[in-house]
Amino acid sequence: DMRADEATRRELCERLSNGSFGDFPRRRRARMTVGVKKLDITLAMFQKPFDLPSAKNVVLQVSRALLFLHKAGFVHGRLGADMILVEPDGQVRVKLPDDDSCTVQDLSRRPLEVLLGLERTPAVDLWAVGLLLFELVTNGTKLFDVAARDEDHLAQVVDLLGDIPSHLVDAGLAKNFVPEPRERTVVPSPKLAKRLHRQHGFTDVAAARIAMFVKVFLVHSPSARITAEEAASLPWLQCG
């Protein structure tokens, strides 16, 4: 009945505050699926960071969805927490953009090749997966803070991931846009593992482990970056 459905939807909304779906009664999950579709519950609506096993599970499911999409010849281009729908049993679905422009709308999610004016390939989606992993375990914190210029964004990429290979700079005809150290207008960000440890409370070991796998998705060169097929087979994502 309508009151039961409304109670079910309210309970789903309450669970957004702690990310708990696995213990939801199975007998109500069919109705809950309808509630999810009406409410359009996305990862961006969660109010607390995911524990590491849950974050890994989400990234694994997203990687599998991207594998299907890429094999079909499509690039998502706008992947983020707001484009990932959550089912009541913990399964996630990747929402496709409303158009096929493949334009990266969230400026903080632009991969290096987009900043350099290079061609968009399926690799842009894997860069987004790396950012998603960081955001899931840090309660939505953006890895790159890019409120201003492209130069600032590039400077943050260099500070966090190292110098941009010259062949990428040359290919993008972007020499004039890659900031020299003396021209950087932002304070260099802490190295990723230190940032996870100091700002988000992870142990040194956990921070180093998470940082290593985030960086797997943030390799400078699109051709050298992990693919969706490789990501879906990562043993680290398969274990809890």
Side-chain angles (χ1 to χ4, degrees), residues 48-202:
K48 289 185 178 179
F50 281 60
D51 58 45
L52 187 54
S54 297
K56 288 161 64 174
N57 182 41
V58 169
V59 170
L60 178 61
Q61 292 186 62
V62 170
S63 297
R64 289 170 175 168
L66 289 176
L67 173 58
F68 177 83
L69 195 67
H70 294 170
K71 282 188 173 181
F74 294 98
V75 177
H76 191 287
R78 299 182 186 177
L79 185 66
D82 60 326
M83 298 296 290
I84 300 174
L85 303 178
V86 183
E87 299 284 5
D89 60 357
Q91 298 297 304
V92 300
R93 294 182 291 118
V94 175
K95 180 180 178 181
L96 294 176
D98 294 329
D99 57 63
D100 60 355
S101 63
C102 187
T103 300
V104 181
Q105 290 185 318
D106 186 337
L107 297 183
S108 70
R109 295 186 177 280
R110 291 176 299 172
L112 178 59
E113 59 266 33
V114 171
L115 288 168
L116 296 178
L118 302 180
E119 179 184 5
R120 290 177 174 84
T121 69
V124 303
D125 291 336
L126 279 303
W127 181 280
V129 171
L131 300 184
L132 175 66
L133 174 57
F134 181 82
E135 291 170 18
L136 288 176
V137 299
T138 61
N139 197 23
T141 301
K142 300 289 187 183
L143 184 56
F144 299 113
D145 178 16
V146 285
R149 305 179 302 169
D150 288 354
E151 290 89 335
D152 293 341
H153 194 166
L154 284 167
Q156 291 177 56
V157 171
V158 170
D159 287 332
L160 195 66
L161 303 174
D163 290 334
I164 300 170
S166 59
H167 74 275
L168 287 180
V169 176
D170 293 339
L173 301 177
K175 288 184 177 180
N176 293 331
F177 300 99
V178 178
E180 295 297 332
R182 63 179 180 277
E183 297 173 344
R184 294 177 187 173
T185 58
V186 295
V187 177
S189 60
K191 298 305 180 183
L192 187 52
K194 290 183 179 179
R195 182 169 169 183
L196 286 164
H197 171 63
R198 295 175 180 174
Q199 298 181 16
H200 301 286
F202 288 97

Side-chain angles (χ1 to χ4, degrees), residues 130 133-134 143 192 209-218:
L133 174 57
F134 181 82
L143 184 56
L192 187 52
R209 191 74 170 163
I210 295 170
M212 181 176 69
F213 280 97
V214 168
K215 288 183 177 181
V216 165
F217 294 92
L218 302 182

